[in-house]
Amino acid sequence: MSVVIDASVALKWVLGETDSDAADALFDRDEDLIAPALWLAEAANALWRRARTGEVSSDQVNVRFSELR
């Protein structure tokens, strides 16, 4: 069986947000993880917005984006 994830799940993997433990648990399941084609662009946009609001620094955005890639 496959589990479809989206950018919000991927961001939980790299930002340590609320429910990150649930997102991390997806790695422990014996299922394939798949994502829509635009997930990385959506995640990049969300990281950019967080940098604009000051939630994360631009350096953190670069590191987190590299982790997602």
Side-chain angles (χ1 to χ4, degrees), residues 21-39:
D21 54 337
D24 290 341
L26 291 171
F27 282 117
D28 297 332
R29 298 174 67 166
D30 191 25
E31 296 168 321
D32 293 325
L33 299 180
I34 59 174
L38 292 175
W39 79 270

Side-chain angles (χ1 to χ4, degrees), residues 11-69:
L11 288 171
K12 289 182 185 313
W13 290 331
V14 297
L15 291 177
E17 302 175 326
T18 303
D19 294 330
S20 286
D21 54 337
D24 290 341
L26 291 171
F27 282 117
D28 297 332
R29 298 174 67 166
D30 191 25
E31 296 168 321
D32 293 325
L33 299 180
I34 59 174
L38 292 175
W39 79 270
L40 188 57
E42 292 172 343
N45 185 54
L47 287 170
W48 172 80
R49 280 193 323 260
R50 289 173 187 214
R52 295 272 316 219
T53 62
E55 291 179 56
V56 295
S57 70
S58 59
D59 288 339
Q60 288 174 323
V61 167
N62 291 330
V63 169
R64 301 305 177 229
F65 184 73
S66 292
E67 291 174 353
L68 289 173
R69 289 184 45 202

